[in-house]
Each structure stands twice: as structure tokens, then as C-alpha cells.
Amino acid sequence: MTLMRPWRFVVWFGTVSLLADFVYEGARSVTGPLLASLGASALVVGVVTGAGEAAALGLRLVSGPLADRTRRFWGLAIAGYALTVVSVPLLGVVGTLWAACVLVIAERVGKAVRSPAKDTLLSHATAATGRGRGFAVHEAMDQVGALVGPLVVAGVLALTGGDYGPALGVLALPGVAVLVLLVWLRSRVPNPRSYEEEHTPYEHEPAIPESAPASDSRPLPRAFWTYAAFTATTTAGFTTFGVLSYHLVERHLLATAWVPVLYAAAMAVDALAALATGWLYDRHGARVLVVLPVLAAVVPALAFTRTVGVAVAGSLVWGAAMGIQESTLRATVADLVPPGRRATAYGVFAGVVGAASLVGGALTGALYGTSIPALIAVVAGVQVLALVLLGVSARAA
């Protein structure tokens, strides 16, 4: 069987992610109200959703090395997606709080299981398409699902008078499509590493079929660690949408019902920014990442004003920064780490981003309650440090 062209592989994998985002972003858009309807307090909702995000990022420190050690990239990707698409429809029918909490966390565990393996599979094809463009197209397609899923759930809730069963049950359909596409894609491209070996062969790493176990205990490159330090710093100074939306509602700049609409607009900007910076990355390399700390510094300066138009613009800038974080940052990891250690690197990278995101959310939330000018100044200072670390990372590469 002739190997599928690299771009076709990227697009089909993007379709898988689009459908998967349809499923889990649709569910995440109503997780809070769903748990509340089952008797959860605000504390329980916060603990459960926080535990889910911690699992989604922290467990990749395990799933990444496991993928490299076993080379079961397809198996882990399919298992992770299966856990997600099975957990979501069940949320609408369990009827008890404890079971719903378990399913919310299980859905996030599915993301942790699949993500390092998925990113590694995708990284092989992007060696031929261009790292930046390949990851950018994948991210753009991903965001289409993130837009459509919540809108479909909202529509079904409106039609059924707020019944979560049908609203989440309808997500089983794209979930089935995810698994069918994955199994078909695996049959067409059982070893995506062939793309990279044909395009940029690694002389020190002979071709190894996915089914064969391989041990590679070499440390991750120094350039990866300096790059991870840059990423951690810029993320730690990044304002979360939760704080942005809190400001918009508390200062009566937007009605609560308009916040999801603004979020959808930010996701559209996310996709466009991913495509633009991905194309620039392939032409100019990691220097294009200079724009990320700049955007991150601009967000609070715009978003925390008392003028509606300016605050909305700040939220859209936040979306642009998110697009770069979700695409070009991941593409750079693939260029810094050889294939035999790449899943491990993606797992470590996700752990770094998760820890930094927690710090960033706590930092900006605390400063917002104390002094908005101080928040703007501190974020700007953190992003200046991030620019310095990006320069150090470029020299180490």
C-alpha cells in the first residue's frame, strides 16, 4: 500500500482532533452547570475541574516516556481518544454526582494518555510539510471543533428545555467517528516515522517499527530545557480567560450571555494566529516566537480597562496568543528533540506548561484583586524575562 501523502495525513489527523474537540469541548462548556444540577457546590466544581486539568497535563509525564519506551504510539492515541469519547455521553445519563465527577476527570485522563503519542505521530508528518504549517493547520482544525461543539450542546439544551441527557448524548456521534477515523488512519499509515526518515533521516537512530520496543535513556537536549524555561516563564505571566471574563462581567462591560460569544471569537483568532505564525516559523524559525511574550504583555493592558471595545480587543489578543501557544510552541519541540525521545519531551513539556499555567492563573488572579496597574506591570516584567530566555534558548539550539 502506498504511503499517504504527509499533508493528507495532517489533514485527516486534524479531522480527528476536530471531531474530538466537538465532543469534549461541548461537554466542558456545561460541566459547571451539570455538576451543580447534581448537587455540587462551587467548591466541588472547582476541585473536580481543577483535578481534571492537573490530570490532563501532569499525567503526560508518565504517558510520554511510556510512549517512547513501548513505541505504541497508535495504541496510546486510540486508547486516550476512546476514554474521552466514551466518558462524555455517559455524563448525561449517570444521574449521581460522584459518578459525574469521575467521568469529568476520566475525560481529562484520556487527553493525558493520548497527547504525547498524538503529537509525536503528527511531528513525523510535519517534518515533510513544515513543522510550523503542519501544527498550525492541525490547531486551526482543532479550533473548529471547539467552536461547533459548545454551540451544538447549547442548541440541544434550548430545544429540550435544559435536558443534559440528549445534549451530551448527541456527542456520541462525532465520538464514534473519531474512533473509526483513527483505526482507518492507523491501517493506512502504521508507521508515520517513515515520513521523517525519508525527509530528514536521523543517522544515529535507525528505523524501528512501532511494534518493536525500544529504550532510549539519553537525556533530553540542553536546548530543550532552555526552551522549556522560556515557555514556563511566558506562560506564568499569561492571563487566563477566566480572569478576563470575570472582569468583563463584574465591571458590567458585557452581559454573561455574551461571554461565550466572545470566547468563540477568541477561538477564531486563535486559529488564524496559529496559521500565520506557523507559516512564519517555517520561513524564519523560532525567532517568530518573540511575538508571544509581546502579545501576553499587551493582553492585561487592554483587557482590564473599563472601556468595552478595548477590553474586547484584549480578549481577542489573548486568543492570538493562545493560537501560538497551542501550535508553534509544540512545533518547536519537534525540532529540538530527536524522534526516539520526542514523546517523553512532549510529556515533560506539558508538565511544565501545566505548572506554569497554575502559577499564572494564581498570580494574575491575586494581583487583579489587589491592583490592576500592578498586575499589568508584573506581567510586563515577566514577559521581558521570557524574551531574555528565548534569546538564551536560541543560542543553545
Side-chain angles (χ1 to χ4, degrees), residues 38-301:
L38 296 173
S41 65
L43 175 61
V44 170
V45 173
V47 169
V48 170
T49 54
E53 292 309 307
L57 292 166
L59 289 179
R60 297 186 210 187
L61 292 169
V62 177
S63 62
L66 179 65
D68 275 337
R69 191 164 55 248
T70 64
R71 306 196 66 78
R72 302 287 183 180
F73 299 110
W74 277 117
L76 287 166
I78 293 171
Y81 276 114
L83 182 55
T84 289
V85 302
V86 169
S87 298
V88 166
L90 290 176
L91 270 172
V93 298
V94 288
T96 58
L97 178 58
W98 72 266
C101 291
V102 169
L103 289 170
V104 168
I105 295 173
E107 183 275 309
R108 296 283 82 193
V109 170
K111 187 172 180 65
V113 170
R114 70 177 179 262
S115 289
K118 177 204 71 176
D119 286 342
T120 301
L121 293 169
L122 187 61
S123 74
H124 296 319
T126 60
T129 64
R131 298 275 193 221
R133 284 174 292 178
F135 274 96
V137 168
H138 181 271
E139 168 66 8
M141 297 182 71
D142 197 74
Q143 291 308 307
V144 172
L147 286 170
V148 175
L151 294 177
V152 169
V153 168
V156 177
L157 285 173
L159 291 173
T160 60
D163 189 342
Y164 290 105
L168 295 174
V170 74
L171 300 178
L173 298 176
V176 170
V178 166
L179 298 181
V180 170
L181 271 178
L182 276 170
V183 172
W184 171 78
L185 199 55
R186 184 188 187 282
S187 70
R188 288 297 313 274
V189 190
N191 183 21
R193 183 165 170 172
S194 300
Y195 292 124
E196 188 158 357
E197 288 166 349
E198 292 175 4
H199 187 73
T200 53
Y202 284 79
E203 297 178 359
H204 56 288
E205 294 195 64
I208 305 172
E210 182 184 328
S211 59
S215 59
D216 187 345
S217 58
R218 289 173 298 170
L220 293 170
R222 177 172 175 267
F224 167 80
W225 290 110
T226 55
Y227 178 69
F230 152 71
T231 302
T233 303
T234 190
T235 303
F238 190 62
T239 308
T240 66
F241 189 79
V243 179
L244 299 183
S245 59
Y246 178 89
H247 171 79
L248 291 167
V249 173
E250 286 296 307
R251 299 302 171 97
H252 306 291
L253 300 177
L254 279 185
T256 303
W258 281 100
V259 172
V261 177
L262 178 59
Y263 182 79
M267 291 300 96
V269 174
D270 174 317
L272 293 174
L275 291 170
T277 55
W279 181 80
L280 290 170
Y281 176 83
D282 288 337
R283 291 177 64 89
H284 303 292
R287 72 186 69 174
V288 72
L289 292 173
V290 166
V291 73
L292 179 56
V294 174
L295 291 177
V298 168
V299 168

